[in-house]
Amino acid sequence: MTTPPRSRALDGLVVLDLTRVRAGPTCCRVLADFGADVIKIEAPPGVDPNENMSGPRHGYDMQNLHRNKRSVTLNLKRPEGREVFLRLVKNADVVVENFRPDVKDRLGIDYETLRRVNKRVILASISGFGQTGPYRDRAGFDQIAQGMGGLMWVTGLPGQGPVRAGVAVADSTAGIYAATGILVALQERERSGEGQWVHTSLLQAQIALCDFQAALYLVDGKVPGQAGNDHPYSTPMGVVETADGFINIGVGGEGHWASFCRAIERPDLMQDPDFATQAERFRNRPRLREILANVFSQRTSAEWLERLEREHVPAGPIYRMDEVFADPQVQHLGMAAPVHHPARGEIRVVGQPVALSRTPASVVSAVPDPGEHTDEILARAGYQAGEIEQLRRAGVV
């Protein structure tokens, strides 16, 4: 396997990564894939009682979240470890952490402390509920944010009770928002010459992700409910069962409706007053759903997708994960990025979904072993070999 060149988009950017689990690592992954020197700072073995929270080191999740990084071990609970960390901060551009808000204060690595060491440094903090407020010190997890952010009461079939999304949407979104904030702060630093504190939370990210459902309440005062696989206000849009499976259809405006009726060979539906407009179709959705259930049961998914595509009606298959990565368009987009791991051999991880024409993202290295780069990183910070060895014997690195 040929290793692609490292992206040069963020070349020269030094990021100290104190994160674990998902939200923080998602943020740092964006920066690492675009060429930043992301230094993963980890506790020496046996220091952190939750060191296995992110799963096995060679497991699929760690491989996907922590590629393209270097690793240094450092015991931040020791004064000597904090001193080493602050020395690294002197030449860093960004520090990313997702501790509970009080932890960085106890460790003495809060923003004001970092700013005194390096006024250009940007601290990005991701928490469960925010850096201030009555829930500040609560531990947060993705599903808790899904519940508090409103997602679980708009997900699932009507009347079945709250349902979580099948992926960690609050975690992932908070990480992406944090990365966005970092890039904004870096651009602003070009003008001011100073860094700043960027912070977001799982709760904020989840509410923002609800978007139009949240706006429905804020603007119109209506509380959205569960709609299952149906769109909240457009129809027919959602899942239909075919002779051999399921597909998604998306009929928006009146032009789509006319094309849809031609595709399913039911032009009579265009003349039915119950379906004459989007509002009427929505009002009479149960009857329309019953008609379409009978129609779509007559042909296979592949046949229907071909017919709908021919009439330019938005539609698509509903894949299991193996089918996702077998799809020719997904393969064309390069969403499975190959990388070599010393223990696992040739593996694939999820590629970056953003394409840049001159400086694209790249996956060039797998997850490092804990502390794999400690010596070279500390040497670059000015430590002599004897000093590094003394720190190691003392359990600081």
Side-chain angles (χ1 to χ4, degrees):
M1 182 187 71
T2 303
T3 302
R6 180 175 288 276
S7 175
R8 299 188 63 81
L10 298 177
D11 190 31
L13 190 75
V14 178
V15 179
L16 303 182
D17 176 6
L18 294 167
T19 71
R20 58 186 180 182
V21 188
R22 187 166 315 281
T26 297
C27 169
C28 294
R29 177 176 62 189
V30 174
L31 307 178
D33 284 2
F34 282 104
D37 180 13
V38 177
I39 300 171
K40 181 172 171 55
I41 297 176
E42 308 178 75
V47 171
D48 183 358
N50 297 314
E51 64 182 14
N52 295 320
M53 184 182 291
S54 299
R57 187 71 176 200
H58 293 168
Y60 66 91
D61 207 15
M62 288 286 287
Q63 297 302 320
N64 193 49
L65 284 169
H66 295 286
R67 74 276 187 112
N68 284 343
K69 300 180 183 181
R70 297 194 291 162
S71 172
V72 59
T73 50
L74 194 57
N75 187 352
L76 293 175
K77 296 178 181 179
R78 296 275 296 274
E80 304 95 324
R82 178 178 177 274
E83 181 183 335
V84 173
F85 176 74
L86 294 179
R87 194 155 161 180
L88 295 176
V89 169
K90 287 182 181 180
N91 296 310
D93 296 286
V94 180
V95 176
V96 186
E97 59 88 15
N98 61 345
F99 302 127
R100 287 197 317 272
D102 60 314
V103 172
K104 62 182 170 295
D105 298 331
R106 293 203 311 268
L107 292 174
I109 56 172
D110 55 280
Y111 175 64
E112 289 304 320
T113 298
L114 302 187
R115 188 180 186 281
R116 286 194 293 270
V117 173
N118 176 2
K119 74 171 188 175
R120 290 175 57 82
V121 77
I122 293 161
L123 172 63
S125 298
I126 307 170
S127 62
F129 303 99
Q131 297 296 311
T132 58
Y135 302 161
R136 172 183 186 266
D137 294 329
R138 288 187 183 180
F141 284 95
D142 178 85
Q143 186 161 338
I144 296 171
Q146 286 192 32
M148 292 183 66
L151 180 67
M152 292 177 67
W153 270 124
V154 297
T155 303
L157 299 171
Q160 78 172 114
V163 178
R164 69 180 291 274
V167 295
V169 290
D171 270 337
S172 297
T173 307
I176 294 168
Y177 278 133
T180 303
I182 289 168
L183 297 175
V184 171
L186 286 168
Q187 175 60 30
E188 193 280 336
R189 192 178 71 175
E190 293 298 302
R191 179 179 60 81
S192 67
E194 295 191 21
Q196 56 186 304
W197 187 17
V198 175
H199 46 94
T200 187
S201 68
L202 273 61
L203 180 59
Q204 289 167 285
Q206 181 59 79
I207 294 170
L209 190 63
C210 283
D211 198 43
F212 73 91
Q213 297 281 39
L216 176 62
Y217 169 70
L218 292 175
V219 177
D220 289 345
K222 297 180 180 178
V223 178
Q226 293 167 305
N229 290 316
D230 290 325
H231 192 275
Y233 55 80
S234 292
T235 197
M237 187 174 292
V239 176
V240 290
E241 186 171 2
T242 67
D244 64 348
F246 300 87
I247 63 172
N248 271 317
I249 58 172
V251 179
E254 300 309 319
H256 279 165
W257 173 243
S259 298
F260 177 75
C261 291
R262 288 195 297 271
I264 66 173
E265 299 179 342
R266 288 295 304 269
D268 58 298
L269 296 178
M270 286 188 286
Q271 312 306 319
D272 192 319
D274 281 355
F275 310 134
T277 66
Q278 177 67 262
E280 289 300 322
R281 292 193 293 276
F282 189 80
R283 186 175 297 110
N284 295 290
R285 181 152 66 178
R287 177 175 169 237
L288 181 57
R289 186 187 291 117
E290 185 177 339
I291 292 171
L292 295 183
N294 180 61
V295 169
F296 277 90
S297 69
Q298 304 303 309
R299 290 186 170 91
T300 66
S301 295
E303 289 175 302
W304 281 121
L305 290 172
E306 191 276 328
R307 283 170 170 265
L308 293 165
E309 173 65 22
R310 194 165 58 214
E311 294 292 341
H312 306 291
V313 178
I318 300 175
Y319 286 150
R320 293 180 172 86
M321 202 56 68
D322 56 338
E323 297 170 308
V324 171
F325 288 100
D327 184 278
Q329 181 66 19
V330 175
Q331 293 180 354
H332 171 78
L333 293 171
M335 286 306 297
V339 65
H340 176 77
H341 187 274
R344 299 203 58 167
E346 308 305 322
I347 60 173
R348 296 183 301 166
V349 293
V350 182
Q352 275 293 334
V354 180
L356 275 67
S357 61
R358 289 189 299 101
T359 55
S362 60
V363 179
V364 300
S365 60
V367 177
D369 288 336
E372 181 176 331
H373 306 96
T374 296
D375 286 22
E376 67 182 68
I377 290 168
L378 295 193
R380 187 176 177 182
Y383 286 91
Q384 300 300 313
E387 294 176 296
I388 297 172
E389 183 55 35
Q390 186 175 353
L391 290 169
R392 184 170 282 115
R393 285 198 302 267
V396 177
V397 301

mmCIF file of all heavy atoms in Angstrom, residues 98-129:
data_model
loop_
_atom_site.group_PDB
_atom_site.id
_atom_site.type_symbol
_atom_site.label_atom_id
_atom_site.label_comp_id
_atom_site.label_asym_id
_atom_site.label_seq_id
_atom_site.Cartn_x
_atom_site.Cartn_y
_atom_site.Cartn_z
ATOM 1 N N ASN A 98 -11.417 17.848 26.797
ATOM 2 C CA ASN A 98 -12.837 17.611 27.051
ATOM 3 C C ASN A 98 -13.057 17.026 28.444
ATOM 4 O O ASN A 98 -13.872 16.135 28.641
ATOM 5 C CB ASN A 98 -13.475 16.739 25.965
ATOM 6 C CG ASN A 98 -12.856 15.352 25.845
ATOM 7 O OD1 ASN A 98 -11.779 15.089 26.372
ATOM 8 N ND2 ASN A 98 -13.534 14.455 25.153
ATOM 9 N N PHE A 99 -12.289 17.569 29.417
ATOM 10 C CA PHE A 99 -12.534 17.241 30.820
ATOM 11 C C PHE A 99 -13.836 17.891 31.284
ATOM 12 O O PHE A 99 -14.373 18.792 30.623
ATOM 13 C CB PHE A 99 -11.406 17.790 31.704
ATOM 14 C CG PHE A 99 -10.025 17.295 31.361
ATOM 15 C CD1 PHE A 99 -8.987 18.202 31.131
ATOM 16 C CD2 PHE A 99 -9.738 15.947 31.293
ATOM 17 C CE1 PHE A 99 -7.714 17.761 30.835
ATOM 18 C CE2 PHE A 99 -8.471 15.492 30.999
ATOM 19 C CZ PHE A 99 -7.448 16.405 30.770
ATOM 20 N N ARG A 100 -14.329 17.488 32.452
ATOM 21 C CA ARG A 100 -15.338 18.306 33.115
ATOM 22 C C ARG A 100 -14.691 19.664 33.396
ATOM 23 O O ARG A 100 -13.484 19.755 33.668
ATOM 24 C CB ARG A 100 -15.802 17.677 34.422
ATOM 25 C CG ARG A 100 -16.687 16.463 34.260
ATOM 26 C CD ARG A 100 -17.445 16.145 35.567
ATOM 27 N NE ARG A 100 -16.606 16.271 36.737
ATOM 28 C CZ ARG A 100 -15.853 15.288 37.243
ATOM 29 N NH1 ARG A 100 -15.831 14.106 36.659
ATOM 30 N NH2 ARG A 100 -15.113 15.494 38.310
ATOM 31 N N PRO A 101 -15.475 20.768 33.353
ATOM 32 C CA PRO A 101 -14.871 22.101 33.455
ATOM 33 C C PRO A 101 -13.966 22.319 34.665
ATOM 34 O O PRO A 101 -12.989 23.065 34.582
ATOM 35 C CB PRO A 101 -16.088 23.025 33.492
ATOM 36 C CG PRO A 101 -17.108 22.301 32.675
ATOM 37 C CD PRO A 101 -16.913 20.847 33.024
ATOM 38 N N ASP A 102 -14.275 21.676 35.803
ATOM 39 C CA ASP A 102 -13.473 21.919 36.999
ATOM 40 C C ASP A 102 -12.113 21.230 36.951
ATOM 41 O O ASP A 102 -11.189 21.617 37.685
ATOM 42 C CB ASP A 102 -14.237 21.464 38.246
ATOM 43 C CG ASP A 102 -14.577 19.975 38.215
ATOM 44 O OD1 ASP A 102 -15.055 19.497 37.173
ATOM 45 O OD2 ASP A 102 -14.370 19.295 39.235
ATOM 46 N N VAL A 103 -11.952 20.234 36.085
ATOM 47 C CA VAL A 103 -10.721 19.448 36.086
ATOM 48 C C VAL A 103 -9.527 20.284 35.656
ATOM 49 O O VAL A 103 -8.458 20.236 36.273
ATOM 50 C CB VAL A 103 -10.870 18.197 35.190
ATOM 51 C CG1 VAL A 103 -9.529 17.488 35.033
ATOM 52 C CG2 VAL A 103 -11.916 17.257 35.787
ATOM 53 N N LYS A 104 -9.688 21.068 34.598
ATOM 54 C CA LYS A 104 -8.545 21.856 34.136
ATOM 55 C C LYS A 104 -8.147 22.907 35.158
ATOM 56 O O LYS A 104 -6.972 23.284 35.256
ATOM 57 C CB LYS A 104 -8.810 22.485 32.774
ATOM 58 C CG LYS A 104 -9.962 23.465 32.716
ATOM 59 C CD LYS A 104 -10.122 23.976 31.281
ATOM 60 C CE LYS A 104 -11.406 24.762 31.132
ATOM 61 N NZ LYS A 104 -12.587 23.906 31.332
ATOM 62 N N ASP A 105 -9.116 23.377 35.947
ATOM 63 C CA ASP A 105 -8.778 24.321 37.028
ATOM 64 C C ASP A 105 -7.948 23.621 38.094
ATOM 65 O O ASP A 105 -6.959 24.183 38.593
ATOM 66 C CB ASP A 105 -10.064 24.888 37.640
ATOM 67 C CG ASP A 105 -10.893 25.674 36.639
ATOM 68 O OD1 ASP A 105 -10.305 26.250 35.705
ATOM 69 O OD2 ASP A 105 -12.130 25.710 36.783
ATOM 70 N N ARG A 106 -8.343 22.407 38.459
ATOM 71 C CA ARG A 106 -7.591 21.665 39.469
ATOM 72 C C ARG A 106 -6.186 21.324 38.989
ATOM 73 O O ARG A 106 -5.233 21.326 39.777
ATOM 74 C CB ARG A 106 -8.331 20.372 39.847
ATOM 75 C CG ARG A 106 -9.653 20.594 40.567
ATOM 76 C CD ARG A 106 -10.032 19.372 41.390
ATOM 77 N NE ARG A 106 -9.933 18.129 40.640
ATOM 78 C CZ ARG A 106 -10.941 17.583 39.966
ATOM 79 N NH1 ARG A 106 -12.125 18.193 39.956
ATOM 80 N NH2 ARG A 106 -10.792 16.438 39.339
ATOM 81 N N LEU A 107 -6.066 21.034 37.689
ATOM 82 C CA LEU A 107 -4.755 20.697 37.146
ATOM 83 C C LEU A 107 -3.883 21.927 36.893
ATOM 84 O O LEU A 107 -2.680 21.803 36.638
ATOM 85 C CB LEU A 107 -4.923 19.924 35.827
ATOM 86 C CG LEU A 107 -5.533 18.525 35.928
ATOM 87 C CD1 LEU A 107 -5.762 17.947 34.525
ATOM 88 C CD2 LEU A 107 -4.644 17.587 36.740
ATOM 89 N N GLY A 108 -4.503 23.100 36.945
ATOM 90 C CA GLY A 108 -3.737 24.318 36.694
ATOM 91 C C GLY A 108 -3.416 24.533 35.230
ATOM 92 O O GLY A 108 -2.358 25.085 34.891
ATOM 93 N N ILE A 109 -4.329 24.124 34.343
ATOM 94 C CA ILE A 109 -4.111 24.316 32.913
ATOM 95 C C ILE A 109 -5.318 25.028 32.287
ATOM 96 O O ILE A 109 -5.684 24.775 31.141
ATOM 97 C CB ILE A 109 -3.835 22.974 32.197
ATOM 98 C CG1 ILE A 109 -4.973 21.974 32.443
ATOM 99 C CG2 ILE A 109 -2.514 22.376 32.660
ATOM 100 C CD1 ILE A 109 -4.851 20.699 31.595
ATOM 101 N N ASP A 110 -5.937 25.921 33.043
ATOM 102 C CA ASP A 110 -7.057 26.707 32.556
ATOM 103 C C ASP A 110 -6.556 27.742 31.542
ATOM 104 O O ASP A 110 -5.354 27.959 31.374
ATOM 105 C CB ASP A 110 -7.749 27.404 33.726
ATOM 106 C CG ASP A 110 -6.768 28.236 34.529
ATOM 107 O OD1 ASP A 110 -6.031 27.657 35.364
ATOM 108 O OD2 ASP A 110 -6.682 29.457 34.291
ATOM 109 N N TYR A 111 -7.491 28.415 30.879
ATOM 110 C CA TYR A 111 -7.101 29.319 29.797
ATOM 111 C C TYR A 111 -6.206 30.453 30.269
ATOM 112 O O TYR A 111 -5.204 30.767 29.615
ATOM 113 C CB TYR A 111 -8.339 29.895 29.097
ATOM 114 C CG TYR A 111 -7.961 30.929 28.063
ATOM 115 C CD1 TYR A 111 -7.205 30.567 26.943
ATOM 116 C CD2 TYR A 111 -8.309 32.266 28.227
ATOM 117 C CE1 TYR A 111 -6.829 31.516 26.002
ATOM 118 C CE2 TYR A 111 -7.936 33.222 27.293
ATOM 119 C CZ TYR A 111 -7.192 32.836 26.183
ATOM 120 O OH TYR A 111 -6.801 33.786 25.262
ATOM 121 N N GLU A 112 -6.536 31.081 31.387
ATOM 122 C CA GLU A 112 -5.712 32.204 31.852
ATOM 123 C C GLU A 112 -4.283 31.766 32.135
ATOM 124 O O GLU A 112 -3.330 32.501 31.861
ATOM 125 C CB GLU A 112 -6.349 32.853 33.081
ATOM 126 C CG GLU A 112 -7.611 33.637 32.779
ATOM 127 C CD GLU A 112 -7.394 34.707 31.721
ATOM 128 O OE1 GLU A 112 -6.329 35.369 31.754
ATOM 129 O OE2 GLU A 112 -8.281 34.888 30.859
ATOM 130 N N THR A 113 -4.121 30.567 32.677
ATOM 131 C CA THR A 113 -2.765 30.046 32.922
ATOM 132 C C THR A 113 -2.034 29.824 31.605
ATOM 133 O O THR A 113 -0.861 30.208 31.454
ATOM 134 C CB THR A 113 -2.835 28.726 33.705
ATOM 135 O OG1 THR A 113 -3.446 28.966 34.977
ATOM 136 C CG2 THR A 113 -1.439 28.153 33.923
ATOM 137 N N LEU A 114 -2.705 29.209 30.649
ATOM 138 C CA LEU A 114 -2.082 28.964 29.355
ATOM 139 C C LEU A 114 -1.748 30.278 28.651
ATOM 140 O O LEU A 114 -0.695 30.406 28.004
ATOM 141 C CB LEU A 114 -3.003 28.127 28.465
ATOM 142 C CG LEU A 114 -3.449 26.760 28.995
ATOM 143 C CD1 LEU A 114 -4.205 26.007 27.909
ATOM 144 C CD2 LEU A 114 -2.284 25.939 29.497
ATOM 145 N N ARG A 115 -2.620 31.261 28.774
ATOM 146 C CA ARG A 115 -2.406 32.547 28.110
ATOM 147 C C ARG A 115 -1.179 33.263 28.663
ATOM 148 O O ARG A 115 -0.463 33.960 27.926
ATOM 149 C CB ARG A 115 -3.653 33.418 28.263
ATOM 150 C CG ARG A 115 -3.617 34.696 27.447
ATOM 151 C CD ARG A 115 -4.874 35.525 27.646
ATOM 152 N NE ARG A 115 -4.885 36.672 26.761
ATOM 153 C CZ ARG A 115 -4.201 37.795 26.972
ATOM 154 N NH1 ARG A 115 -3.454 37.909 28.079
ATOM 155 N NH2 ARG A 115 -4.250 38.798 26.109
ATOM 156 N N ARG A 116 -0.945 33.111 29.954
ATOM 157 C CA ARG A 116 0.246 33.743 30.531
ATOM 158 C C ARG A 116 1.528 33.122 29.967
ATOM 159 O O ARG A 116 2.561 33.787 29.871
ATOM 160 C CB ARG A 116 0.225 33.620 32.059
ATOM 161 C CG ARG A 116 -0.780 34.555 32.730
ATOM 162 C CD ARG A 116 -0.533 34.646 34.220
ATOM 163 N NE ARG A 116 -0.809 33.390 34.903
ATOM 164 C CZ ARG A 116 -1.987 33.063 35.405
ATOM 165 N NH1 ARG A 116 -3.021 33.900 35.280
ATOM 166 N NH2 ARG A 116 -2.162 31.911 36.025
ATOM 167 N N VAL A 117 1.454 31.858 29.591
ATOM 168 C CA VAL A 117 2.613 31.176 28.999
ATOM 169 C C VAL A 117 2.760 31.534 27.521
ATOM 170 O O VAL A 117 3.869 31.719 27.021
ATOM 171 C CB VAL A 117 2.464 29.648 29.168
ATOM 172 C CG1 VAL A 117 3.563 28.895 28.421
ATOM 173 C CG2 VAL A 117 2.473 29.275 30.640
ATOM 174 N N ASN A 118 1.636 31.632 26.818
ATOM 175 C CA ASN A 118 1.648 31.872 25.375
ATOM 176 C C ASN A 118 0.365 32.602 25.006
ATOM 177 O O ASN A 118 -0.700 31.990 24.937
ATOM 178 C CB ASN A 118 1.759 30.538 24.627
ATOM 179 C CG ASN A 118 1.693 30.686 23.124
ATOM 180 O OD1 ASN A 118 1.594 31.788 22.586
ATOM 181 N ND2 ASN A 118 1.729 29.559 22.418
ATOM 182 N N LYS A 119 0.455 33.903 24.761
ATOM 183 C CA LYS A 119 -0.759 34.690 24.509
ATOM 184 C C LYS A 119 -1.416 34.331 23.169
ATOM 185 O O LYS A 119 -2.567 34.697 22.927
ATOM 186 C CB LYS A 119 -0.454 36.181 24.559
ATOM 187 C CG LYS A 119 0.300 36.719 23.356
ATOM 188 C CD LYS A 119 0.350 38.238 23.395
ATOM 189 C CE LYS A 119 0.929 38.794 22.083
ATOM 190 N NZ LYS A 119 0.865 40.267 22.054
ATOM 191 N N ARG A 120 -0.700 33.615 22.306
ATOM 192 C CA ARG A 120 -1.257 33.233 21.006
ATOM 193 C C ARG A 120 -1.978 31.887 21.045
ATOM 194 O O ARG A 120 -2.626 31.499 20.070
ATOM 195 C CB ARG A 120 -0.142 33.166 19.953
ATOM 196 C CG ARG A 120 0.418 34.520 19.579
ATOM 197 C CD ARG A 120 1.604 34.378 18.612
ATOM 198 N NE ARG A 120 1.258 33.655 17.398
ATOM 199 C CZ ARG A 120 0.647 34.191 16.335
ATOM 200 N NH1 ARG A 120 0.299 35.472 16.364
ATOM 201 N NH2 ARG A 120 0.389 33.458 15.264
ATOM 202 N N VAL A 121 -1.905 31.180 22.173
ATOM 203 C CA VAL A 121 -2.491 29.847 22.213
ATOM 204 C C VAL A 121 -4.014 29.912 22.256
ATOM 205 O O VAL A 121 -4.602 30.826 22.849
ATOM 206 C CB VAL A 121 -1.954 29.039 23.409
ATOM 207 C CG1 VAL A 121 -2.601 29.469 24.730
ATOM 208 C CG2 VAL A 121 -2.155 27.532 23.181
ATOM 209 N N ILE A 122 -4.637 28.957 21.581
ATOM 210 C CA ILE A 122 -6.095 28.820 21.583
ATOM 211 C C ILE A 122 -6.437 27.580 22.398
ATOM 212 O O ILE A 122 -5.925 26.490 22.128
ATOM 213 C CB ILE A 122 -6.623 28.677 20.141
ATOM 214 C CG1 ILE A 122 -6.394 29.983 19.372
ATOM 215 C CG2 ILE A 122 -8.099 28.284 20.128
ATOM 216 C CD1 ILE A 122 -6.443 29.817 17.866
ATOM 217 N N LEU A 123 -7.271 27.745 23.412
ATOM 218 C CA LEU A 123 -7.762 26.607 24.190
ATOM 219 C C LEU A 123 -9.164 26.275 23.714
ATOM 220 O O LEU A 123 -10.049 27.137 23.715
ATOM 221 C CB LEU A 123 -7.792 26.937 25.688
ATOM 222 C CG LEU A 123 -8.463 25.881 26.575
ATOM 223 C CD1 LEU A 123 -7.707 24.558 26.531
ATOM 224 C CD2 LEU A 123 -8.597 26.378 28.016
ATOM 225 N N ALA A 124 -9.368 25.045 23.294
ATOM 226 C CA ALA A 124 -10.698 24.572 22.905
ATOM 227 C C ALA A 124 -11.183 23.574 23.938
ATOM 228 O O ALA A 124 -10.530 22.562 24.187
ATOM 229 C CB ALA A 124 -10.659 23.922 21.526
ATOM 230 N N SER A 125 -12.317 23.878 24.560
ATOM 231 C CA SER A 125 -12.878 23.033 25.613
ATOM 232 C C SER A 125 -14.239 22.499 25.179
ATOM 233 O O SER A 125 -15.089 23.260 24.718
ATOM 234 C CB SER A 125 -13.043 23.833 26.910
ATOM 235 O OG SER A 125 -11.791 24.285 27.392
ATOM 236 N N ILE A 126 -14.416 21.195 25.338
ATOM 237 C CA ILE A 126 -15.695 20.554 25.034
ATOM 238 C C ILE A 126 -16.176 19.874 26.314
ATOM 239 O O ILE A 126 -15.460 19.051 26.888
ATOM 240 C CB ILE A 126 -15.553 19.507 23.921
ATOM 241 C CG1 ILE A 126 -14.889 20.107 22.683
ATOM 242 C CG2 ILE A 126 -16.915 18.927 23.549
ATOM 243 C CD1 ILE A 126 -14.508 19.082 21.634
ATOM 244 N N SER A 127 -17.366 20.227 26.753
ATOM 245 C CA SER A 127 -17.903 19.641 27.988
ATOM 246 C C SER A 127 -19.290 19.074 27.712
ATOM 247 O O SER A 127 -19.809 19.171 26.602
ATOM 248 C CB SER A 127 -17.974 20.699 29.085
ATOM 249 O OG SER A 127 -18.851 21.757 28.701
ATOM 250 N N GLY A 128 -19.889 18.502 28.752
ATOM 251 C CA GLY A 128 -21.223 17.966 28.586
ATOM 252 C C GLY A 128 -22.287 19.041 28.493
ATOM 253 O O GLY A 128 -23.193 18.968 27.658
ATOM 254 N N PHE A 129 -22.160 20.087 29.345
ATOM 255 C CA PHE A 129 -23.260 21.048 29.484
ATOM 256 C C PHE A 129 -22.834 22.505 29.415
ATOM 257 O O PHE A 129 -23.672 23.386 29.553
ATOM 258 C CB PHE A 129 -23.987 20.792 30.809
ATOM 259 C CG PHE A 129 -24.501 19.389 30.926
ATOM 260 C CD1 PHE A 129 -23.802 18.431 31.643
ATOM 261 C CD2 PHE A 129 -25.662 19.011 30.286
ATOM 262 C CE1 PHE A 129 -24.260 17.133 31.735
ATOM 263 C CE2 PHE A 129 -26.134 17.713 30.361
ATOM 264 C CZ PHE A 129 -25.430 16.767 31.085
#
